[in-house]
Amino acid sequence: MVRPAAKRRAVGLVRKTFEKSERWACRVLGVSRATQRYRHRMVEPPGLIKALLTLAEQKTKRGYQHLYLLLRRAGHHVNRKRVYRLYCEHGLALRRKKGRKRCVASPRANPPRPSGPRQVWAMDFVSDHVVDGRRFRVLTVVDTFSRLSPGLLVEPNINGDRVAGFVDEIAKVHGYPRAITVDNGPEFVSNALDRWAHLRGVELHFIAPGKPNQNAFIESFNGRLRSECLNANWFESLAHARQLVEDWHRDYNCSRPHSSLGGLTPIEYERKHHQQLRTLSLD
């Protein structure tokens, strides 16, 4: 079915090309002249348009279907077709390059700067293999304030549901962060993780494609994990890999001093921060 707007554009193009009348163009194209007089009379609610533009600015990697779900969550009674029409009218469609990466029309907002632990975490993946060639992945998580790593997950395959479940596990000990900075991998842009973040009240901040420096804390952490553990050991099995990674993880949190933390370990730095807060509260 051809939309009336498309018919009007086609008639206008024929008229301009052949310098003919509207009646002639409609007869050639087999279009009723009534379609040229039709004008859209519905007035869109300003609150809906404002909400859509705000969500599109915040979720620059998501298409109209995702924005439709977010609008429904926010209490806007709107159907998918209306969201798609407004999405197109306001030029919110994602632009694609000719390569494999996707580019968006507007820049991303910078993630919040943490003022204490358990505010902003960063997540990413590294991979390696055991002696028989089977590959495994490591989900890495680090607190961008204290550099403490709440946990590492070693599995052959990790999808969005497993990522969400693992964060729930470590949150039982460390609490939920306010925001998590991630890249645009399929596990992080999945509906499962998005649904989990919405239910837990956690914001997901996505870095720009091809800009790993925007998630520098996790890149630095992954570099240490790679050089000090993964490249330094020969893993006999998946269980062996889990044990060695956990040993390194414990040493990193409790024994490894950081120059950026004044020579303290992540555990010591968090304790010092809490002591300072208690001192200020007593004063």
Side-chain angles (χ1 to χ4, degrees):
M1 178 180 178
V2 182
R3 296 176 180 271
K7 294 180 180 179
R8 288 195 295 270
R9 289 195 296 268
V11 170
L13 179 61
V14 170
R15 291 186 61 189
K16 182 178 179 180
T17 302
F18 297 96
E19 299 181 352
K20 296 290 186 177
S21 66
E22 179 185 279
R23 185 189 301 274
W24 181 87
C26 289
R27 185 172 63 251
V28 170
L29 295 177
V31 174
S32 172
R33 293 183 63 197
T35 62
Q36 307 305 305
R37 304 290 188 266
Y38 175 78
R39 292 296 180 267
H40 183 68
R41 294 184 178 88
M42 181 180 293
V43 178
E44 301 295 348
L48 173 63
I49 298 176
K50 182 179 180 180
L52 177 61
L53 295 177
T54 301
L55 289 173
E57 183 178 357
Q58 295 173 351
K59 307 290 185 180
T60 54
K61 288 293 290 181
R62 301 306 180 96
Y64 83 94
Q65 297 193 54
H66 183 79
L67 298 180
Y68 160 74
L69 295 176
L70 294 180
L71 288 172
R72 297 284 292 186
R73 287 178 182 175
H76 294 278
H77 299 286
V78 60
N79 61 27
R80 197 183 305 266
K81 291 187 289 186
R82 172 179 283 191
V83 173
Y84 178 71
R85 177 170 54 77
L86 295 175
Y87 183 79
C88 295
E89 289 179 358
H90 290 83
L92 303 178
L94 296 172
R95 294 186 288 112
R96 295 179 182 272
K97 286 185 176 180
K98 291 186 178 180
R100 297 171 60 185
K101 294 180 180 177
R102 187 170 64 180
C103 181
V104 294
S106 58
R108 295 188 173 278
N110 293 326
R113 187 178 184 87
S115 58
R118 301 176 183 85
Q119 292 184 7
V120 181
W121 289 357
M123 290 196 305
D124 199 6
F125 287 97
V126 293
S127 62
D128 210 312
H129 57 83
V130 297
V131 292
D132 60 3
R134 289 180 298 165
R135 299 192 66 82
F136 63 86
R137 307 181 74 193
V138 183
L139 174 63
T140 56
V141 187
V142 67
D143 189 305
T144 61
F145 177 81
S146 65
R147 311 301 194 275
L148 178 79
S149 174
L152 299 178
L153 176 65
V154 181
E155 295 286 354
N157 297 292
I158 304 176
N159 57 18
D161 286 309
R162 188 66 184 96
V163 171
F166 179 67
V167 179
D168 277 332
E169 294 173 10
I170 59 179
K172 294 178 181 178
V173 178
H174 300 275
Y176 287 99
R178 298 178 186 175
I180 302 178
T181 305
V182 294
D183 61 19
N184 298 277
E187 302 84 4
F188 298 140
V189 301
S190 64
N191 290 331
L193 190 62
D194 176 73
R195 182 170 55 252
W196 170 89
H198 173 71
L199 295 175
R200 302 299 188 277
V202 178
E203 297 182 13
L204 295 178
H205 292 277
F206 297 91
I207 65 174
K211 299 289 185 179
N213 58 302
Q214 293 182 2
N215 204 2
F217 293 106
I218 198 65
E219 293 296 330
S220 175
F221 179 84
N222 289 347
R224 294 189 178 100
L225 173 62
R226 173 71 65 186
S227 62
E228 298 174 8
C229 179
L230 299 182
N231 290 347
N233 292 285
W234 193 254
F235 305 112
E236 299 175 358
S237 63
L238 184 62
H240 186 221
R242 285 172 175 156
Q243 182 61 50
L244 292 181
V245 169
E246 181 56 32
D247 292 343
W248 179 88
H249 178 244
R250 190 180 304 108
D251 178 77
Y252 171 87
N253 282 335
C254 303
S255 304
R256 193 184 193 281
H258 285 251
S259 58
S260 60
L261 303 179
L264 300 177
T265 66
I267 290 289
E268 293 170 343
Y269 188 74
E270 278 204 2
R271 290 173 180 170
K272 179 181 178 181
H273 176 76
H274 292 312
Q275 290 174 356
Q276 291 175 344
L277 291 180
R278 284 195 295 268
T279 302
L280 291 174
S281 63
L282 293 176
D283 295 340

